[in-house]
Amino acid sequence: MRTSREVHTALQSGGPVVALESTVITHGLPAPVNLETARRLEAAVREEGAVPATIGVLEGEVRVGLAPDELEALATRNAVEKASLWNLAAVVARRQWAGTTVATTAHLAARAGIRVFATGGIGGVHPVPFDESGDLLGLSRTPVVVVSSGPKSILDLAATLERLESYGVGVVGYRTKHLPAFHAPDSPFELPATVWSEAEAAATWRAARALGLESATLVFHPVSEGLPYRQVKAWVDQANEEARAAGIGGKDLTPYLLRRLSELSEGRTDAVNLRLLEENARLAARIARKLSA
Amino acid sequence: MRTSREVHTALQSGGPVVALESTVITHGLPAPVNLETARRLEAAVREEGAVPATIGVLEGEVRVGLAPDELEALATRNAVEKASLWNLAAVVARRQWAGTTVATTAHLAARAGIRVFATGGIGGVHPVPFDESGDLLGLSRTPVVVVSSGPKSILDLAATLERLESYGVGVVGYRTKHLPAFHAPDSPFELPATVWSEAEAAATWRAARALGLESATLVFHPVSEGLPYRQVKAWVDQANEEARAAGIGGKDLTPYLLRRLSELSEGRTDAVNLRLLEENARLAARIARKLSA
Amino acid sequence: MRTSREVHTALQSGGPVVALESTVITHGLPAPVNLETARRLEAAVREEGAVPATIGVLEGEVRVGLAPDELEALATRNAVEKASLWNLAAVVARRQWAGTTVATTAHLAARAGIRVFATGGIGGVHPVPFDESGDLLGLSRTPVVVVSSGPKSILDLAATLERLESYGVGVVGYRTKHLPAFHAPDSPFELPATVWSEAEAAATWRAARALGLESATLVFHPVSEGLPYRQVKAWVDQANEEARAAGIGGKDLTPYLLRRLSELSEGRTDAVNLRLLEENARLAARIARKLSA
Ligand SMILES: [Mn+2]
Ligand SMILES: [Mn+2]
Ligand SMILES: [Mn+2]
């Protein structure tokens, strides 16, 4: 595991650092939007006064903080793995390249001494028996602030929230009492706690540390201009129906659903996705500054 | 986190201390029974020769051991939160008051150096998909003896026992080979181990520590004079039927079921509840004394 | 917990040691095949240049490395417990004898400083709601290499693989891209990573340690001469049908299914079982040697 000089220097001096994940670059967005977005997120973190630390695996080496040419290499390369906690060590041992998932990035960030991590949406419970993201249990064991816009839209939101409770993952809404639903800023599901400021989010993290809680502190941040919950849900339901009718399942299901969501919304879900990524990076930077103050 | 002088002194000298939870005070029992019961449980622990340490959150401060006026304040105050592991840090950060659940109390007790904790019933698997108490995974990570009368009656007992096995939570029956079912001292479900004395319960805890097991040691203690398992199950089934017919679900379901249980049993479940709480406090105190000897 | 002199000496000098479990001796195989097999597995480990450490509980004492007479005593004794993580401490406290399950053996091996453990098959998700082996979560918390031939044949393989992902357990196929299915060397289920040599398996373990991952590294090793996946699946399905028709369930189900598998295959599943146990012991020894080099 290698930390860039800039990130290392910032951490040494207790300065604000924000970890960013890389599956959004390697698997989540098409080229060239992926590289543009990765750059924009780093720039957004800097504009808010923090140091970005994009995390990925380059030729078997875990890297915390990427130079511009490294970011480009990761974004443009073919045959890049997706490193979850269950295959991360093998990816490293076999000298592969990989984007890192939410749980993996959170783990590596915490290990590097970074306290705040921004992403788009977290994984959760799929509406398929036993298909539950490693993010859920992973986050229950990883002491880091994770800023996201909620579980990804295609997930079973109610079940995902139950699992977060069952696994004891710290959860707060940022200025919302309901679970934000990724593309939708609102949903019918009540959160167990709300923070009304960056200072309160930072205080929640400090309290968790003082009390010896090992879980992440999830800060659910509703996107500023999103889509109506019922509309997104209707698209997701329709896409699931179509997949069932066409016999699409297994590993093909999630990419199919995301593509159909984009088509059904005439690209509006894509625009919201980019917006929330940047907004989360900014909020994470402001929370990181509170924690450094 | 602040430990009372009395509890601190007892812990320093290796003396017996029993942690008590506070959601039974803030959410489990109506006034004025809640405060009376809290006092009676503390008195019962003292009568058995141990120091009680009721745990709660007062204006954002975790308190281990409450003075009489603090206990009263917690019992009589309005708008008190229920602090599970997923919202504990936020409750503290926001300077709120809260009763602490089984998993939260166990965590805080262990952190304070207390080895034995008494409660009424533990949480578990509800007969609703994905509704599983944070007690289950929480207890798999918290090295403390927990004395209870089994999972609460409205839970899916078989599924709860399976989860305890799946999560590797240490489980013993106290002088019983079957899972006690809270209001009922017996059930058809076999336990993996039985202890026949306080000394054996204490030895189980010591063995767990010596072997590096991080889970709780659950001591399931059948209530001395309870209700027949089939009778309680029939009431629970009836109450669930009624709830379904009346469209009651979500957060309203558990309070509804408990109220109906009380009504259908003509108050007998309430009497049993108070009895088992005191009996568990006494057994916990005797185990704590064995551990201090 | 007592480590034999031979195992202790090997560990002190950084030499290769392979842990072996004992439920295969106490519960998995009938006499006298159980003792013969236990001896053969130890001999196989030695032939590959490593020191075997069979782990079991003798009269309440956890033993790491058994002398020949102790192995015989464990194999021939009546009324021996099966120590899973949820009853291990009670077994020790009550001075009982026990075979140790996969999760328990892995935990004890790691605690003794042993890095590699060989077994036949791991536990997983049964096709009965909530019946999930403690091996799954246990292995997510235990840093040890576990060589097996996949989940046992009577399990829900797809669900078991999902749980391994959800729990972040490190998984690699040894020279296979598909999950081996115990009696069958192949199955339709894709693994997240493959290693092509003992050196790569060892490197995966080292990477996991360097990255602070606390989970096991499961090395799934297909049996050299096994049975066709579809054939085994057909037998398992038939046996489950028969059990349902005969009203066999609960604790009686697994023994019934295994006996019927043996009968339906005319003993071929038994032969494969012995073969894979030895092959796994040999591969584990070779990986242990790589880790010692
Ligand atoms: Mn999945
Ligand atoms: Mn619940
Ligand atoms: Mn089971």
Side-chain angles (χ1 to χ4, degrees):
Chain A
M1 185 158 129
R2 194 162 103 204
T3 302
S4 75
R5 181 171 307 211
E6 183 191 17
V7 171
H8 181 75
T9 303
L11 290 171
Q12 287 288 100
S13 66
V17 176
V18 172
L20 298 165
E21 47 111 339
S22 47
T23 50
V24 70
I25 306 171
T26 59
H27 293 74
L29 296 170
V33 180
N34 61 345
L35 180 57
E36 290 164 17
T37 303
R39 287 174 174 156
R40 191 178 316 154
L41 297 183
E42 294 209 342
V45 169
R46 288 189 198 284
E47 283 168 28
E48 299 287 347
V51 173
T54 302
I55 294 180
V57 184
L58 275 59
E59 209 188 334
E61 187 171 51
V62 168
R63 302 293 294 277
V64 177
L66 298 178
D69 59 320
E70 295 167 338
L71 198 64
E72 186 170 344
L74 190 64
T76 56
R77 197 181 173 85
N78 289 322
V80 174
E81 301 289 317
K82 186 168 164 176
S84 306
L85 290 172
W86 77 331
N87 67 335
L88 173 63
V91 159
V92 167
R94 304 204 59 225
R95 317 299 300 158
Q96 293 171 317
W97 292 60
T100 48
T101 64
V102 168
T104 302
T105 308
H107 174 78
L108 296 169
R111 194 162 172 78
I114 299 172
R115 289 167 293 187
V116 185
F117 160 38
T119 185
I122 63 163
V125 179
H126 290 259
V128 171
F130 292 97
D131 191 356
E132 306 181 17
S133 168
D135 288 352
L136 296 169
L137 193 70
L139 291 173
S140 84
R141 298 166 166 173
T142 312
V144 70
V145 174
V146 181
V147 179
S148 78
S149 301
K152 299 217 174 85
S153 298
I154 58 171
L155 298 168
D156 181 332
L157 296 182
T160 298
L161 198 56
E162 289 285 359
R163 278 284 188 257
L164 292 172
E165 180 177 13
S166 301
Y167 291 173
V169 182
V171 166
V172 297
Y174 178 80
R175 294 185 185 162
T176 178
K177 296 191 169 186
H178 292 112
L179 181 69
F182 198 70
H183 296 116
D186 198 21
S187 80
F189 307 105
E190 277 182 45
L191 293 174
T194 301
V195 295
W196 299 97
S197 66
E198 286 79 345
E200 280 192 355
T204 301
W205 158 260
R206 284 202 192 95
R209 298 278 65 67
L211 295 168
L213 299 169
E214 287 301 307
S215 95
T217 298
L218 299 192
V219 176
F220 285 135
H221 182 210
V223 65
S224 63
E225 294 168 61
L227 300 162
Y229 172 73
R230 286 181 182 286
Q231 176 64 78
V232 176
K233 187 173 182 331
W235 288 328
V236 170
D237 289 349
Q238 181 181 338
N240 268 306
E241 285 292 310
E242 292 172 359
R244 220 175 344 255
I248 293 163
K251 292 177 93 171
D252 299 331
L253 183 60
T254 291
Y256 175 84
L257 294 177
L258 293 176
R259 183 168 60 74
R260 284 300 287 146
L261 261 187
S262 171
E263 290 166 1
L264 291 166
S265 72
E266 294 170 346
R268 277 176 284 169
T269 53
D270 301 320
V272 171
N273 193 3
L274 298 183
R275 182 178 305 131
L276 63 83
L277 280 165
E278 181 169 338
E279 290 176 354
N280 292 343
R282 290 185 184 278
L283 175 58
R286 296 196 303 269
I287 293 170
R289 285 181 57 199
K290 285 287 173 197
L291 282 172
S292 294
Chain B
M1 184 158 129
R2 192 162 104 204
T3 302
S4 75
R5 181 171 306 213
E6 183 191 16
V7 171
H8 181 76
T9 304
L11 290 171
Q12 287 288 98
S13 65
V17 176
V18 172
L20 298 166
E21 47 112 338
S22 46
T23 50
V24 69
I25 306 171
T26 59
H27 292 73
L29 296 170
V33 180
N34 61 345
L35 179 56
E36 289 163 20
T37 302
R39 286 173 175 157
R40 190 179 316 155
L41 297 182
E42 294 209 341
V45 168
R46 289 189 197 283
E47 282 168 29
E48 299 287 347
V51 172
T54 302
I55 294 180
V57 184
L58 275 59
E59 209 188 333
E61 186 171 51
V62 168
R63 303 293 296 276
V64 178
L66 298 178
D69 59 320
E70 295 167 338
L71 199 64
E72 187 171 342
L74 191 63
T76 55
R77 197 182 172 82
N78 289 322
V80 174
E81 300 290 317
K82 187 167 164 176
S84 305
L85 290 173
W86 77 333
N87 67 334
L88 172 63
V91 159
V92 167
R94 304 204 59 227
R95 317 299 299 158
Q96 293 171 316
W97 292 61
T100 48
T101 64
V102 169
T104 302
T105 308
H107 174 78
L108 296 170
R111 192 158 173 80
I114 299 172
R115 288 167 295 187
V116 185
F117 160 38
T119 185
I122 62 163
V125 179
H126 291 259
V128 171
F130 292 98
D131 190 357
E132 307 181 18
S133 168
D135 288 353
L136 296 168
L137 194 71
L139 291 172
S140 84
R141 297 166 166 175
T142 312
V144 71
V145 174
V146 181
V147 178
S148 78
S149 301
K152 298 216 176 85
S153 298
I154 58 170
L155 298 168
D156 180 332
L157 295 182
T160 298
L161 199 56
E162 288 285 359
R163 278 285 188 254
L164 291 172
E165 180 177 14
S166 301
Y167 292 173
V169 181
V171 166
V172 297
Y174 177 80
R175 294 187 184 161
T176 178
K177 297 191 168 186
H178 292 112
L179 180 68
F182 199 70
H183 296 116
D186 199 21
S187 80
F189 307 104
E190 277 182 46
L191 293 174
T194 301
V195 295
W196 300 96
S197 66
E198 285 79 346
E200 280 192 355
T204 301
W205 157 260
R206 284 203 192 93
R209 299 278 63 69
L211 295 168
L213 298 169
E214 287 301 308
S215 96
T217 298
L218 299 192
V219 176
F220 286 135
H221 182 211
V223 66
S224 63
E225 295 168 60
L227 300 162
Y229 172 72
R230 285 181 183 286
Q231 177 63 80
V232 176
K233 187 174 182 328
W235 287 328
V236 171
D237 290 348
Q238 181 181 338
N240 269 305
E241 284 293 310
E242 292 173 359
R244 220 175 342 257
I248 294 163
K251 292 178 94 172
D252 299 331
L253 184 59
T254 291
Y256 176 85
L257 293 177
L258 294 175
R259 183 168 60 76
R260 284 301 287 146
L261 262 187
S262 172
E263 291 166 0
L264 291 166
S265 72
E266 295 170 347
R268 277 176 284 169
T269 53
D270 302 320
V272 171
N273 193 3
L274 297 183
R275 183 178 304 131
L276 63 83
L277 281 165
E278 181 169 338
E279 289 177 355
N280 292 342
R282 289 185 183 277
L283 176 57
R286 296 197 302 271
I287 294 171
R289 285 182 56 199
K290 285 288 173 196
L291 282 172
S292 295
Chain C
M1 185 158 128
R2 193 162 103 205
T3 303
S4 75
R5 180 171 307 212
E6 183 192 15
V7 171
H8 180 76
T9 304
L11 291 172
Q12 286 289 99
S13 65
V17 175
V18 172
L20 298 165
E21 46 112 339
S22 47
T23 50
V24 69
I25 307 171
T26 59
H27 291 75
L29 296 170
V33 180
N34 61 345
L35 180 56
E36 290 164 19
T37 303
R39 286 173 175 157
R40 190 178 317 153
L41 297 183
E42 294 209 341
V45 168
R46 288 189 197 284
E47 283 168 28
E48 299 287 347
V51 172
T54 302
I55 294 180
V57 184
L58 275 59
E59 209 187 333
E61 187 172 51
V62 168
R63 303 292 296 276
V64 178
L66 298 178
D69 60 320
E70 295 167 338
L71 198 64
E72 187 171 343
L74 191 63
T76 56
R77 195 180 176 84
N78 289 323
V80 174
E81 301 290 317
K82 187 166 164 177
S84 305
L85 290 173
W86 77 332
N87 66 334
L88 173 63
V91 159
V92 167
R94 304 204 58 226
R95 317 299 299 158
Q96 293 172 315
W97 293 60
T100 48
T101 64
V102 168
T104 302
T105 308
H107 174 79
L108 296 169
R111 192 159 173 79
I114 299 173
R115 289 167 293 189
V116 185
F117 160 37
T119 185
I122 62 164
V125 179
H126 290 259
V128 172
F130 292 98
D131 190 356
E132 306 182 17
S133 168
D135 289 352
L136 295 168
L137 194 71
L139 291 173
S140 83
R141 298 167 167 175
T142 313
V144 70
V145 174
V146 181
V147 179
S148 78
S149 300
K152 298 217 175 86
S153 298
I154 58 171
L155 298 168
D156 180 332
L157 296 182
T160 298
L161 199 56
E162 288 285 358
R163 278 284 188 256
L164 292 172
E165 181 177 13
S166 301
Y167 291 173
V169 182
V171 165
V172 297
Y174 177 80
R175 294 186 184 161
T176 178
K177 296 191 169 187
H178 292 112
L179 180 69
F182 199 70
H183 296 116
D186 198 21
S187 80
F189 307 105
E190 277 182 45
L191 293 174
T194 301
V195 295
W196 300 96
S197 67
E198 285 80 346
E200 280 192 356
T204 300
W205 158 260
R206 283 203 193 94
R209 297 278 64 67
L211 295 168
L213 299 169
E214 287 302 306
S215 97
T217 298
L218 299 192
V219 176
F220 285 135
H221 181 211
V223 66
S224 63
E225 294 168 60
L227 300 162
Y229 172 71
R230 285 181 182 288
Q231 176 63 79
V232 177
K233 186 173 182 330
W235 287 329
V236 170
D237 290 347
Q238 181 180 339
N240 268 308
E241 285 291 311
E242 293 172 359
R244 219 174 345 253
I248 293 163
K251 292 178 94 171
D252 299 332
L253 184 60
T254 292
Y256 176 85
L257 294 177
L258 294 175
R259 183 169 60 74
R260 284 300 288 146
L261 262 187
S262 171
E263 291 165 0
L264 291 167
S265 72
E266 294 170 346
R268 277 175 284 169
T269 53
D270 301 321
V272 171
N273 193 2
L274 298 182
R275 182 178 306 130
L276 63 83
L277 281 165
E278 181 168 339
E279 290 177 355
N280 292 342
R282 289 185 184 278
L283 176 58
R286 296 196 303 271
I287 294 170
R289 285 181 56 198
K290 285 287 173 197
L291 283 172
S292 295

